[in-house]
């Protein structure tokens, strides 16, 4: 695993976000870097495609978490 491969991982749904979190945290542990906890998946989605869906907020938080994680890893290497 590398920072570049982490940056290329897709974040298109819940499982891909969870896979990214796991890979990033494992790589950070190998590098001796502590990352903050990733955002939790929403549990209140109605499935009706609401404007401002909780999943939109989740993926915004995931994007910020990825940026922070990649930055922390880059600074440590």
């Amino acid at each position: 695993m590398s920072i570049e491969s982490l940056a290329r991982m897709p974040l298109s749904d819940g499982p891909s976000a969870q896979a990214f979190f796991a890979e990033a945290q494992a790589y950070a542990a190998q590098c001796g870097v502590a990352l903050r906890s990733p955002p939790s998946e929403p549990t209140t989605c109605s499935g009706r495609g609401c404007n401002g869906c909780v999943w939109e907020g989740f993926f915004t938080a995931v994007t910020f978490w990825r940026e922070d994680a990649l930055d922390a890893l880059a600074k440590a290497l």
Side-chain angles (χ1 to χ4, degrees), residues 44-56:
T44 59
C45 180
S46 66
R48 293 182 286 178
C50 302
N51 186 16
C53 176
V54 294
W55 284 99
E56 292 173 14

Side-chain angles (χ1 to χ4, degrees), residues 6 10 22 28-29 31 44 49-50 52 59:
L6 284 172
C31 297
T44 59
C50 302
F59 282 108

Side-chain angles (χ1 to χ4, degrees), residues 18-75:
Q18 293 303 323
F20 171 74
F21 295 152
E23 291 290 335
Q25 289 173 318
Y27 184 63
Q30 288 177 347
C31 297
V33 175
L35 300 177
R36 64 183 172 90
S37 297
S40 301
E41 283 191 20
T43 58
T44 59
C45 180
S46 66
R48 293 182 286 178
C50 302
N51 186 16
C53 176
V54 294
W55 284 99
E56 292 173 14
F58 172 70
F59 282 108
T60 298
V62 168
T63 299
F64 285 124
W65 191 91
R66 173 163 56 183
E67 291 170 2
D68 288 346
L70 295 176
D71 185 50
L73 287 165
K75 287 179 181 176

